[in-house]
Amino acid sequence: MLLTDYTTLNSISLQDAEYSLLHAVKGRIRLRTPLLTKALQDDWEKRLGVMERVKSYRFNVSASCIVIHYREEISLDLFLNDLFLGYNLDHNGIILSKFETSLVNPSKNNDIDEYNSNDNSPSKEDDRASWSSLTLPLISTGLAIVANGFPSSLITFLARSALITASLPVTTRAMESIFVHRKLNIDCLDLMALVLSGLQGKLLTPSLVITLHELGDLIREYTARSTEQKTANLLDTIGRFAWVEREGEVIQIKSDEVITGETVIVYPGERIPVDGIVTSGEATVDQQQLTGESMPIVAQIGTYVYASTLLRSGKIKIQSERIGTQTRAAASIELLEKAPVHDTRMANYAAQLADKLIIPSMILAGIVFATTKDPTRTASILTLDFVTGIRVSMPTAFLGALNHTTRHGILVRSGRTMELLGEIDTIVFDKTGTLTEGNIKVVGVTTVNENITPDRLLQLAVSAEQRITHPVAEAIVNYGKQEKIDILPRNSWDYSVGSGMTAEIDGLMVTVGSEKFLRSQGVNFANIPENEAKSDVIEGLSFVYVACDCELMGYLEYTDPLRPESASLLYELQNLYGLEVHLLTGDNQTRAHQVAKTLNIPTNQVHADAFPEDKAKIIRNLSRGGKTVAFVGDGLNDSVALAYADVSISFADGSDIARETADVVLMNNDLSSILEAISIAKQTQNLIEQNTMLVVAPNLIGLGFASTIGLNPLLATIIHNGTAIVAGLNSLRPLVQHQLETQN
């Protein structure tokens, strides 16, 4: 049964498991089931592994999800019927709102929606569990207020019991610090103040202190980034299966079961599953995912090819040399997994300050108590510890900044990242897909024969290159569609992989390709004056030539264009912020230096022909040189460098692994958002400095009064808690200002 109305599909019953279709774009679906057991995974692997329409797939056990990539030329309904052939499809009158929305407008917010549903996001249950830790302190504070206003033995007993219970976490941490770690920390100081206040019968002051401390801890946890790094499954990266020749037959086996030296056959549209040497055939191989090289290579006999790269056209046989974890792609994943993961909780300045102030505070409190015998004055000194306000205001500042960036379409994963963003002095950019658009585009048509017009030249080129999967051919056809060129029928034709095309069109023998290819076909270049002759690549442009009946007619210019915002972004980074800008790419030296010249990047800061491990080494060397380094990239080949950078930046439409590795994700895919992120980070730094003064100055004055003429503990609490509130409100000021600007 064919699913002609797949917008109503809601759930699929397969082997007693209910599957929900969460997300779908062309060539990709995401299924969820609550029963993703190991046995069920094995069943799925057997099923997906033999389906020719499936390109790749991966499981996420923790989220009970299966992501399947299938051939884009297959319609979704056909693929779903193929996928669940023979099983019950429940699709009668059930509306799937999220999926339906995706199908109505598949280009709108798909990446963002999926990213927001990423498995790193805390669940509602986790949020409720976290905020529930405020329950006891709030109850204690409420009972203390009631006990002060309506004193009675029962209410006082309940208030004291609630205070003791709410104090247990502080007591536990203090005891652990003393007896396990054998050091004094801020919890010890807090406990002493709580005990002194409690011994005097005070209930409200210690309750408020506990509540504020717990609130500060919760805010820090809310802004924390999970230290668990999600990496792509290695077999997903290099291809799960391989076709091999054994005993005269071609069979399909798991890619990690290939034997070294064995012949592997790779067909069009498949990923190469091993590293090895081509022994037969010729094909166009797209290496962009691994090396960043925007142009595919022509793999011929003797060419060394790598696992995870994509065969765009042709067919080759490979003598395998590196299998599974030995491949270059696997080495990249291993480097990523071994990359140093910084403590992604934001730097706790308050704790560091507390460590320095604990002993002086205790000594001062001891001196005051010894000379005055006044526990009230002693408790006031311990209450004025400078730390609570900073513990609350700093996380609030980062929380406000993180929300601020989110409103600008920038996802910053942690306060630690926000802090480092304000400190970077060096920023390194990948080229292909980062500074450039990552897609080849035709930018001009030139004739060299007076008997043909540019439109006619383009028409012949488009007609010859139709339905060819090479990126240049696709760019020519797309340009023809953009110019509304009528495509003519292509009769007999012959395609030379990676070189060019000869085809009979409208009674003419049309040849399209490189200069070398056209010369090999007998085309005469004499009608181009020597001073106008063009090589295949010059000044950032590449050329494809067109001839009719062996007579040169003209050429098309194409390039991987820079993003519109690249030039202005790099100018401001270098001139406004004074950052050192590097270009780091797997592309060749010629193209890398052409881009660097256009963007005014110094020659000595250009690094080309870099494999993933080379990128990681360069980033490490810059960091070891004392620089705070940010790296911007979007592909699998960038993921290792992203992991080793102090701040890693990627795009919402970047590869899954780059996006999940990155500390900062540009959700609107606008490179200029980096400027906004840096600006907000520096503004946050200024806020922290302001908050420190707002907290330290009043508490220092209060400490002076408490040590000399005395200070009522209630007034000390007002100073202590009031400065925390003022600093917290100051931290939210940019967010409020942005909200007001938005309303206006």
Side-chain angles (χ1 to χ4, degrees):
M1 177 176 60
L2 184 67
L3 287 177
T4 55
D5 185 16
Y6 49 76
T7 60
T8 60
L9 176 65
N10 183 49
S11 62
I12 302 162
S13 178
L14 174 60
Q15 295 184 351
D16 298 325
E18 289 293 325
Y19 291 81
S20 298
L21 189 50
L22 298 179
H23 181 77
V25 293
K26 187 177 181 181
R28 186 179 188 276
I29 63 171
R30 183 184 180 105
L31 300 172
R32 174 169 290 168
T33 171
L35 302 173
L36 192 55
T37 61
K38 182 64 173 69
L40 197 56
Q41 285 186 62
D42 292 340
D43 289 343
W44 270 107
E45 287 195 0
K46 292 176 183 177
R47 182 168 184 77
L48 296 173
V50 297
M51 291 181 62
E52 294 183 357
R53 292 173 174 176
V54 173
K55 296 166 66 176
S56 64
Y57 57 91
R58 64 184 174 89
F59 300 102
N60 189 322
V61 179
S62 61
S64 295
C65 285
I66 307 171
V67 178
I68 304 173
H69 294 261
Y70 62 93
R71 300 193 185 282
E72 295 181 357
E73 63 268 20
I74 307 299
S75 65
L76 177 60
D77 54 354
L78 282 173
F79 179 69
L80 288 173
N81 275 274
D82 191 15
L83 186 64
F84 294 102
L85 184 64
Y87 296 101
N88 176 42
L89 300 181
D90 178 16
H91 61 95
N92 294 320
I94 303 173
I95 298 175
L96 181 62
S97 58
K98 182 174 181 180
F99 179 47
E100 188 175 34
T101 302
S102 299
L103 291 174
V104 170
N105 191 358
S107 64
K108 182 179 180 181
N109 291 335
N110 278 339
D111 290 328
I112 296 177
D113 289 343
E114 182 175 326
Y115 192 82
N116 288 340
S117 66
N118 188 286
D119 307 314
N120 280 336
S121 301
S123 66
K124 293 181 180 179
E125 289 77 8
D126 291 338
D127 287 341
R128 285 196 294 265
S130 297
W131 288 102
S132 66
S133 60
L134 269 177
T135 304
L136 278 175
L138 289 174
I139 291 174
S140 176
T141 302
L143 288 172
I145 294 173
V146 174
N148 284 346
F150 306 96
S152 74
S153 57
L154 177 60
I155 294 178
T156 301
F157 171 76
L158 292 175
R160 286 176 178 171
S161 300
L163 176 59
I164 293 172
T165 306
S167 303
L168 287 177
V170 177
T171 305
T172 302
R173 291 194 298 266
M175 293 300 101
E176 181 181 353
S177 177
I178 293 171
F179 295 108
V180 177
H181 302 293
R182 300 188 181 281
K183 60 179 289 188
L184 296 173
N185 65 2
I186 185 61
D187 291 310
C188 301
L189 206 62
D190 291 340
L191 182 60
M192 292 177 64
L194 291 174
V195 170
L196 283 173
S197 297
L199 290 176
Q200 296 176 78
K202 299 183 183 298
L203 299 174
L204 183 58
T205 298
S207 296
L208 282 172
V209 169
I210 293 173
T211 301
L212 285 171
H213 286 180
E214 190 63 41
L215 180 62
D217 289 338
L218 282 176
I219 293 174
R220 282 200 305 278
E221 291 300 327
Y222 183 80
T223 60
R225 173 189 174 185
S226 171
T227 57
E228 178 184 358
Q229 284 284 1
K230 288 192 171 183
T231 60
N233 184 287
L234 177 58
L235 290 178
D236 286 339
T237 304
I238 65 175
R240 286 183 175 270
F241 296 93
W243 295 98
V244 298
E245 287 184 347
R246 287 185 180 176
E247 300 178 355
E249 294 185 2
V250 177
I251 61 173
Q252 188 181 57
I253 62 173
K254 290 185 177 181
S255 59
D256 58 352
E257 294 177 356
V258 176
I259 301 171
T260 301
E262 197 165 28
T263 298
V264 175
I265 305 173
V266 187
Y267 298 95
E270 294 182 345
R271 292 202 176 275
I272 296 175
V274 298
D275 291 357
I277 297 175
V278 177
T279 59
S280 174
E282 187 176 70
T284 304
V285 179
D286 186 346
Q287 298 189 120
Q288 182 170 338
Q289 188 179 34
L290 181 65
T291 68
E293 172 67 59
S294 58
M295 286 296 297
I297 66 166
V298 178
Q300 302 169 322
I301 295 176
T303 303
Y304 201 94
V305 292
Y306 300 96
S308 83
T309 57
L310 178 67
L311 207 71
R312 298 292 296 263
S313 60
K315 170 187 169 184
I316 56 175
K317 294 183 179 180
I318 305 168
Q319 182 179 347
S320 57
E321 290 193 358
R322 298 195 188 101
I323 315 298
T325 57
Q326 299 174 349
T327 62
R328 184 178 290 274
S332 299
I333 299 297
E334 183 180 4
L335 277 173
L336 179 62
E337 290 173 340
K338 291 182 178 179
V341 179
H342 297 288
D343 179 10
T344 53
R345 291 189 60 180
M346 81 176 120
N348 192 344
Y349 297 104
Q352 296 173 6
L353 181 60
D355 288 340
K356 297 177 181 179
L357 293 176
I358 287 172
I359 299 300
S361 296
M362 292 180 66
I363 292 174
L364 181 60
I367 293 173
V368 169
F369 184 74
T371 55
T372 66
K373 306 299 182 182
D374 186 352
T376 298
R377 187 179 295 188
T378 304
S380 298
I381 292 174
L382 293 174
T383 299
L384 295 164
D385 59 12
F386 299 94
V387 178
T388 299
I390 300 176
R391 289 176 68 181
V392 173
S393 65
M394 281 190 177
T396 306
F398 283 116
L399 181 60
L402 295 177
N403 279 294
H404 197 184
T405 53
T406 301
R407 290 172 184 268
H408 285 79
I410 308 164
L411 178 62
V412 181
R413 294 187 189 269
S414 69
R416 169 67 172 163
T417 298
M418 185 64 69
E419 172 197 347
L420 288 172
L421 263 176
E423 298 175 357
I424 60 172
D425 50 35
T426 303
I427 186 165
V428 183
F429 288 91
D430 171 52
K431 181 183 75 67
T432 306
T434 301
L435 290 175
T436 70
E437 294 182 3
N439 295 310
I440 294 171
K441 292 184 178 180
V442 173
V443 294
V445 179
T446 302
T447 61
V448 296
N449 190 304
E450 61 184 12
N451 296 323
I452 195 170
T453 65
D455 283 349
R456 175 64 171 171
L457 181 73
L458 178 60
Q459 183 182 46
L460 293 175
V462 170
S463 301
E465 298 282 16
Q466 59 183 298
R467 297 190 297 278
I468 301 299
T469 58
H470 192 280
V472 175
E474 293 171 349
I476 292 173
V477 173
N478 290 336
Y479 186 70
K481 291 178 180 177
Q482 175 185 323
E483 297 296 315
K484 296 181 170 53
I485 296 295
D486 293 328
I487 300 179
L488 302 174
R490 181 179 63 188
N491 297 322
S492 61
W493 56 278
D494 180 50
Y495 174 52
S496 179
V497 177
S499 297
M501 160 73 73
T502 300
E504 184 183 345
I505 300 170
D506 207 11
L508 300 170
M509 188 57 65
V510 178
T511 307
V512 182
S514 65
E515 178 184 351
K516 180 180 178 180
F517 177 71
L518 264 67
R519 288 186 184 277
S520 72
Q521 300 296 310
V523 176
N524 189 349
F525 277 69
N527 57 339
I528 296 184
E530 186 175 348
N531 62 345
E532 294 183 12
K534 297 179 181 292
S535 61
D536 287 340
V537 181
I538 187 171
E539 294 298 326
L541 294 175
S542 299
F543 303 89
V544 60
Y545 296 89
V546 182
C548 292
D549 296 329
C550 291
E551 184 177 357
L552 186 65
M553 294 288 124
Y555 53 84
L556 283 71
E557 302 170 353
Y558 66 92
T559 186
D560 178 8
L562 290 171
R563 287 176 180 262
E565 68 269 23
S566 291
S568 59
L569 168 69
L570 265 65
Y571 176 83
E572 293 196 39
L573 289 175
Q574 294 180 95
N575 295 280
L576 181 62
Y577 290 105
L579 300 184
E580 182 178 303
V581 175
H582 289 249
L583 178 63
L584 176 56
T585 177
D587 216 337
N588 61 53
Q589 292 281 351
T590 301
R591 287 194 180 94
H593 283 280
Q594 287 167 351
V595 170
K597 181 180 179 181
T598 304
L599 297 175
N600 295 318
I601 300 175
T603 303
N604 64 337
Q605 291 165 203
V606 178
H607 315 274
D609 295 317
F611 276 99
E613 60 267 33
D614 301 319
K615 292 186 176 184
K617 182 178 179 181
I618 291 167
I619 295 296
R620 283 200 304 263
N621 289 341
L622 288 171
S623 295
R624 289 170 180 170
K627 300 182 183 299
T628 303
V629 183
F631 178 72
V632 189
D634 71 320
L636 169 66
N637 59 303
D638 301 319
S639 55
V640 180
L642 287 166
Y644 277 86
D646 296 302
V647 178
S648 51
I649 305 172
S650 191
F651 302 92
D653 63 359
S655 68
D656 287 346
I657 190 170
R659 191 176 58 187
E660 292 174 2
T661 302
D663 300 310
V664 179
V665 181
L666 309 179
M667 302 305 295
N668 54 11
N669 299 305
D670 184 355
L671 202 60
S672 61
S673 298
I674 293 174
L675 292 173
E676 190 71 36
I678 293 175
S679 174
I680 293 172
K682 290 187 176 296
Q683 185 182 50
T684 304
Q685 281 184 328
N686 293 333
L687 275 177
I688 290 172
E689 293 174 1
Q690 294 172 15
N691 290 342
T692 301
M693 291 303 299
L694 286 172
V695 170
V696 171
N699 278 274
L700 187 61
I701 294 171
L703 187 61
F705 280 109
S707 304
T708 54
I709 62 176
L711 188 68
N712 188 291
L714 182 59
L715 183 57
T717 301
I718 291 173
I719 295 173
H720 176 249
N721 295 337
T723 54
I725 293 172
V726 170
L729 292 175
N730 186 54
S731 297
L732 296 175
R733 179 166 46 84
L735 201 59
V736 175
Q737 289 176 344
H738 174 73
Q739 186 67 30
L740 293 175
E741 291 171 1
T742 303
Q743 292 175 352
N744 293 334

